[in-house]
Amino acid sequence: MLTDIDPRNLIGRKAFDRNGTKIGTVDEVYLDDATGVPEWAAIRTGLFSRDAFVPLGPSELVDGTLHVPFDRALIKDAPDFGVGRHLSPDQELQLYHHYGLDVSAPPPFPDRDFGKLATGTEDTEA
């Protein structure tokens, strides 16, 4: 998992699919809005082709190259949202579904008892 790498160090690296077939070159890296962790990479798939988004969570950086655990055909068929723009939550959801990744809801906040809250309506004696 690529959560501890500087996203700028991914730009320009070669990317390979699960079979070791070259996909292209990392063009951009997209960070999670809430955590700032690298979440998606846009891979330039050819000279006159487009960028394909790949999830970084299940990917690995091996000997200076990005290895994505999906087939090249699946990567090339990923939804095209263009690069240089923010990915909306809906677009991210489409990408997660495309790659068959679990997009379960985050766990709920724990229920905590904070004691009695003052409402300002209590009787006070002067």
Side-chain angles (χ1 to χ4, degrees), residues 57-76:
S59 301
E60 294 180 308
L61 196 58
V62 179
D63 296 328
T65 60
L66 183 65
H67 290 259
V68 182
F70 301 101
D71 288 325
R72 184 176 187 200
L74 181 66
I75 294 165
K76 286 194 169 210

Side-chain angles (χ1 to χ4, degrees), residues 26-96:
V26 178
D27 198 22
E28 292 192 34
V29 175
Y30 291 76
L31 308 179
D32 180 87
D33 288 337
T35 65
V37 171
E39 188 169 16
W40 299 97
I43 307 293
R44 174 68 56 179
T45 58
L47 187 58
F48 298 104
S49 192
R50 66 178 183 92
D51 283 63
F53 287 93
V54 297
L56 289 173
S59 301
E60 294 180 308
L61 196 58
V62 179
D63 296 328
T65 60
L66 183 65
H67 290 259
V68 182
F70 301 101
D71 288 325
R72 184 176 187 200
L74 181 66
I75 294 165
K76 286 194 169 210
D77 287 341
D80 185 4
F81 301 118
V83 294
R85 292 176 263 184
H86 181 266
L87 285 175
S88 72
D90 184 54
Q91 290 170 327
E92 286 190 69
L93 189 61
Q94 288 179 50
L95 288 167
Y96 277 118

